[in-house]
């Protein structure tokens, strides 16, 4: 009895092992991908009335995240089921198939073999193509197509796995409504939506991180085409820039005055603002530009005759703030600022100067400095160029630019090369700046960086374009090294020996800078084109004492 039972258990175990699909061990590597033996419905079949879609393969296969990888348009519901019955994939739509509608299924990387993970393919004659099935529930198969390329705006890094969506309704909202048709971009940014009928479409693209087929204003990048696509023939080579766009309306969130300053906080960064009141109020942006720091005016402070403490003769002041964000949306609000002397926090006055630079070709000396408090007084006689211990030349006031919103001072002074000494420096004497709290700046010096031609490189760029306004930039990482505006023959000199990228900004509005998308105004971001070498790479290597070019840059 015991032997009989043991034999039954062994046979049962062997049967179960044979029934389980596993990856075979050993043997030559499997390089042959699975192919489709037959579809149901057949490719380009019309008048299909079935409730299941099947694809039979030439060998055992496995599914790879089918709900993400297998795209069916128009959508048949998020709860659509994908199951394997032997070598056959069975798709059971959640929603009934629409009447007289062409359906398009892209299998992408959703089906692989069991051994080496080879992607399933289809064969057309001697060619192999990605798996794709089109059929219609009516008498006609729609055959029109839209295709194009995704890019990353200012960066040359191509965003991956971007949802490209088509909407037919004129009243759709990409933040609330799901698209009528959609697809996913490939790793190189390409996309195509096939089997479309003639009509009008709006095209959007977004990084659908939460897989809800809707754009998110804060967490996902997105892009769009401003013009409606009127589809009556194939539309190819569309270019869509996918960038970060915060479409929320800017708004006031809080006003705090825990010390001697007022912090006015907004829900998003502003690019500029105006602050007005019946008394002059000193103010500036905080570091992230979501906050404005406002100082209560000294003219409203009185001395208490019974105490050495200060108190506000008027304890609050109404101020009007009008701010603009990067999408040109406006916040317009009234707030009250106050002075809280009892909790005053003393903040050290700090001034930071950048390294000065000197352009040998035009003699232009440039320097900037930032500080953490508004400036009450600036003494222009206290900044000068040191030639030697006996010679000092003051920097003229007209060459000093004061940016109060960002607490920044820029110096641009022309110094003839024939009078330039070896190792000069700029000196800011003590008391050059007096802060709103009567802090006095310390002595500061900044050595001038003189560029040695034999240790640098030259890059020549020739532009061929019909664009009236453009900006050519040399980029190292995220830093713009040099740029030229509306010049077709450019010689960039004194470049560090490194690899740089050359890009063109199509300056549509001619304001000399790149402008991002403004969704409320249906304005696309200004287009950016990178120069690619013969190997289709954006990097241009430079070496000491090299002259590279001319690079012929066409756009």
């Amino acid at each position: 009895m015991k032997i009989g039972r043991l034999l039954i258990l062994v046979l049962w175990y062997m049967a179960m092992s044979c029934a389980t699909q596993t990856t075979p061990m050993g043997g030559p590597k499997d390089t042959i991908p699975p192919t489709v033996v037959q579809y149901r419905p057949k490719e380009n079949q019309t008048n299909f009335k079935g409730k299941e879609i099947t694809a039979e393969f030439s060998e055992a296969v496995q599914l790879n995240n089918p709900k993400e990888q297998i795209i069916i348009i128009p959508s048949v519901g998020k709860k659509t089921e994908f199951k394997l019955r032997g070598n056959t994939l069975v798709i059971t739509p959640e929603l009934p198939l629409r009447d007289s509608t062409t359906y398009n299924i892209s299998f992408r990387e959703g089906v692989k073999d069991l051994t080496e993970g080879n992607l399933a393919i289809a064969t057309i004659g001697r060619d192999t193509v990605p798996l794709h099935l089109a059929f219609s529930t009516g008498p006609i198969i729609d055959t029109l197509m839209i295709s194009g390329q995704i890019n990353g705006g200012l960066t040359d890094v191509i965003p991956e796995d971007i949802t490209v969506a088509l909407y037919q309704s004129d009243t759709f909202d990409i933040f609330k409504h799901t698209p009528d048709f959609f697809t996913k971009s490939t790793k190189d940014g390409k996309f195509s939506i096939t089997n479309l009928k003639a009509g009008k479409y709006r095209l959007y693209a977004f990084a659908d991180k939460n897989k809800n087929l809707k754009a998110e204003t804060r967490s996902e990048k997105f892009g769009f085409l401003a013009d409606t696509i009127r589809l009556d023939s194939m539309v190819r080579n569309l270019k869509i820039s996918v960038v970060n766009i915060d479409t929320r309306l800017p708004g006031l969130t809080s006003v705090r005055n825990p010390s001697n300053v007022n912090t006015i906080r907004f829900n998003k960064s502003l690019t500029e603002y105006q602050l007005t009141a019946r008394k002059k109020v000193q103010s500036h942006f905080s570091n992230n530009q979501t906050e404005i720091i406002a100082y209560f005016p000294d003219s409203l402070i009185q001395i208490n005759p019974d105490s050495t403490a200060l108190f506000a003769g008027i304890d609050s002041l109404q101020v009007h703030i009008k701010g603009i964000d990067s999408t040109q949306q406006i916040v317009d609000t009234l707030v009250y600022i106050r002075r809280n002397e009892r909790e005053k926090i003393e903040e050290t006055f700090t001034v930071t100067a950048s390294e000065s630079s000197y352009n040998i070709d035009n003699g232009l000396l440039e320097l900037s400095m930032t500080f953490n408090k508004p400036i009450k007084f600036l003494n222009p006689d206290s900044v000068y160029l040191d030639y030697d211990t006996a010679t000092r030349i003051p920097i003229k006031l007209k060459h000093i630019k004061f940016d109060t919103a960002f607490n920044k001072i820029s110096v641009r002074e022309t110094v003839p090369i024939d009078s330039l000494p070896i190792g000069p420096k700029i000196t800011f004497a003590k008391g050059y700046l007096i802060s709103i709290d009567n802090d006095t700046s310390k002595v500061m010096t900044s050595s001038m960086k003189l560029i040695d031609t034999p240790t640098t490189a030259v890059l020549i760029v020739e532009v061929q374009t019909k664009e009236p306004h453009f900006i050519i930039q040399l980029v190292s990482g995220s830093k713009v090294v040099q740029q030229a505006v509306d010049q077709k023959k450019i010689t960039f000199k004194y470049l560090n020996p490194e690899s740089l990228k050359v890009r063109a900004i199509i300056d549509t509005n001619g304001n000399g800078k790149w402008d991002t998308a403004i969704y409320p105004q249906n304005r696309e971001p200004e287009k950016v084109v990178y120069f690619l070498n013969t190997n289709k790479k954006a990097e241009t290597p430079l070496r000491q004492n090299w002259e590279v070019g001319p690079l012929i840059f066409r756009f």
Side-chain angles (χ1 to χ4, degrees):
M1 292 293 291
K2 290 183 179 179
I3 295 175
R5 289 179 181 176
L6 180 61
L7 181 60
I8 292 172
L9 288 174
V10 170
L11 292 174
W12 176 84
Y13 178 78
M14 292 175 63
M16 292 302 296
S17 299
C18 293
T20 303
Q21 287 185 327
T22 60
T23 302
M25 301 299 291
K29 183 176 180 179
D30 181 8
T31 60
I32 301 175
T35 58
V36 173
V37 176
Q38 67 175 4
Y39 288 119
R40 183 180 181 275
K42 296 179 180 179
E43 176 70 24
N44 293 325
Q45 179 177 326
T46 57
N47 297 311
F48 177 68
K49 304 301 179 184
K51 295 183 178 180
E52 290 184 339
I53 302 160
T54 63
E56 181 184 348
F57 294 93
S58 58
E59 61 178 281
V61 293
Q62 59 181 324
L63 297 181
N64 174 40
N65 194 11
K67 287 185 179 293
E68 296 296 330
Q69 289 294 334
I70 301 177
I71 296 176
I72 305 175
I73 52 177
S75 174
V76 290
K78 292 183 178 180
K79 295 181 180 180
T80 294
E81 294 183 351
F82 301 86
K83 294 182 178 180
L84 286 174
R85 296 177 186 166
N87 292 2
T88 300
L89 167 62
V90 180
I91 302 173
T92 306
E94 175 194 4
L95 303 176
L97 298 181
R98 305 177 194 174
D99 291 335
S100 300
T101 300
T102 297
Y103 282 86
N104 184 330
I105 303 179
S106 296
F107 292 83
R108 298 180 1 122
E109 298 181 7
V111 182
K112 299 181 178 181
D113 67 17
L114 285 175
T115 54
E116 300 294 337
N118 297 309
L119 288 180
I121 60 171
T123 58
I124 300 178
R126 295 183 179 180
D127 297 327
T128 60
V129 295
L131 284 189
H132 170 270
L133 171 64
F135 64 91
S136 176
T137 57
I140 298 174
I141 288 279
D142 298 317
T143 58
L144 296 179
M145 178 183 71
I146 291 174
S147 64
Q149 173 80 43
I150 300 292
N151 65 67
L154 271 183
T155 176
D156 65 330
V157 178
I158 297 174
E160 293 185 17
D161 206 30
I162 296 296
T163 295
V164 182
L166 289 177
Y167 301 81
Q168 292 178 293
S169 171
D170 292 332
T171 59
F172 73 93
D173 185 331
I174 64 171
F175 305 115
K176 297 179 180 179
H177 303 145
T178 56
D180 297 292
F181 303 92
F182 74 96
T183 188
K184 293 276 189 177
S185 65
T186 60
K187 291 182 179 180
D188 57 0
K190 295 179 180 178
F191 69 89
S192 64
I193 301 179
T194 59
N195 300 107
L196 296 171
K197 65 176 60 178
K200 296 180 181 179
Y201 298 89
R202 293 299 306 275
L203 191 150
Y204 286 78
F206 46 90
D208 191 16
K209 295 179 181 178
N210 56 9
K211 314 301 181 186
N212 65 354
L213 287 179
K214 299 174 186 176
E216 301 289 344
T217 60
R218 300 182 65 178
S219 61
E220 298 174 354
K221 294 182 177 182
F222 76 96
F224 55 91
L225 293 183
D227 296 330
T228 298
I229 299 174
R230 289 170 171 79
L231 188 64
D232 53 17
S233 61
M234 301 294 185
V235 175
R236 296 183 174 90
N237 301 319
L238 296 175
K239 307 292 184 183
I240 306 177
S241 296
V242 177
V243 296
N244 284 315
I245 312 172
D246 188 345
T247 63
R248 294 173 300 161
L249 288 171
L252 178 72
T253 59
S254 65
V255 180
R256 300 176 61 249
N257 60 326
S259 63
N260 58 320
V261 298
N262 291 257
T263 302
I264 305 167
R265 182 171 296 170
F266 298 87
N267 64 335
K268 62 189 299 189
S269 294
L270 303 178
T271 56
E272 58 182 278
Y273 74 91
Q274 293 178 342
L275 187 152
T276 56
R278 64 185 182 85
K279 290 287 185 178
K280 183 178 180 181
V281 176
Q282 295 270 29
S283 65
H284 61 84
F285 273 127
S286 66
N287 291 334
N288 59 17
Q289 292 179 229
T290 61
E291 297 175 343
I292 296 173
I293 310 300
Y295 294 75
F296 196 83
D298 284 341
S299 60
L300 297 179
I301 303 299
Q302 299 177 353
I303 297 294
N304 185 341
D306 299 325
S307 171
T308 57
L310 292 174
F311 75 96
I314 298 176
D315 63 0
S316 64
L317 177 67
Q318 186 186 75
V319 297
H320 175 217
I321 298 177
K322 185 176 182 180
I324 302 175
D325 68 7
S326 61
T327 63
Q328 302 300 300
Q329 298 183 103
I330 295 174
V331 55
D332 197 326
T333 186
L334 295 174
V335 300
Y336 285 88
I337 62 172
R338 295 175 173 81
R339 181 106 176 185
N340 188 351
E341 285 293 332
R342 291 182 178 85
E343 299 182 22
K344 182 174 181 179
I345 300 174
E346 296 293 342
E347 184 179 11
T348 303
F349 183 45
T350 59
V351 181
T352 305
S354 69
E355 183 182 51
S356 57
S357 62
Y358 182 75
N359 189 315
I360 296 176
D361 291 330
N362 57 20
L364 182 63
L365 170 68
E366 295 185 276
L367 172 73
S368 64
M369 62 168 51
T370 56
F371 30 88
N372 64 331
K373 295 183 181 181
I375 301 303
K376 178 188 293 185
F377 177 74
L378 181 150
N379 183 6
D381 296 331
S382 295
V383 56
Y384 38 79
L385 181 66
D386 276 327
Y387 276 73
D388 51 45
T389 55
T391 306
R392 288 180 169 178
I393 296 180
I395 302 294
K396 299 181 179 63
L397 181 60
K398 65 180 181 180
H399 296 141
I400 300 174
K401 183 180 178 181
F402 201 2
D403 187 340
T404 56
F406 293 92
N407 279 349
K408 181 178 180 180
I409 289 176
S410 301
V411 177
R412 290 168 59 89
E413 175 75 277
T414 301
V415 180
I417 185 64
D418 56 1
S419 62
L420 192 67
I422 298 176
K425 61 183 179 180
I426 293 180
T427 297
F428 298 88
K430 182 178 180 180
Y432 171 62
L433 299 175
I434 306 296
S435 80
I436 192 172
D437 291 328
N438 295 315
D439 305 294
T440 300
S441 62
K442 300 177 181 179
V443 176
M444 293 180 57
T445 59
S446 178
S447 299
M448 289 178 58
K449 182 181 179 181
L450 298 181
I451 303 172
D452 184 13
T453 301
T455 64
T456 59
V458 175
L459 178 61
I460 302 172
V461 179
E462 290 188 7
V463 176
Q464 296 180 2
T465 183
K466 295 182 179 179
E467 298 291 342
H469 299 292
F470 55 89
I471 306 167
I472 303 299
Q473 294 181 333
L474 304 186
V475 183
S476 176
S478 60
K479 179 183 177 182
V480 176
V481 177
Q482 290 188 36
Q483 71 174 33
V485 178
D486 294 343
Q487 297 181 36
K488 292 193 173 183
K489 292 186 178 182
I490 314 160
T491 300
F492 294 106
K493 298 181 179 179
Y494 314 116
L495 300 171
N496 290 330
E498 59 180 333
S499 289
L500 297 177
K501 296 179 181 179
V502 184
R503 71 184 179 199
I505 297 173
I506 312 304
D507 190 15
T508 307
N509 58 10
N511 66 351
K513 65 178 183 179
W514 179 76
D515 291 301
T516 188
I518 302 180
Y519 174 69
Q521 297 180 15
N522 195 36
R523 193 184 80 182
E524 298 176 37
E526 290 182 324
K527 288 182 169 52
V528 179
V529 182
Y530 276 80
F531 174 82
L532 301 179
N533 58 29
T534 54
N535 296 321
K536 302 299 180 182
K537 302 293 184 182
E539 298 284 347
T540 299
L542 303 175
R543 300 288 185 268
Q544 289 186 11
N545 209 25
W546 273 24
E547 180 178 294
V548 178
L551 306 183
I552 307 301
F553 196 178
R554 301 180 179 91
F555 54 87

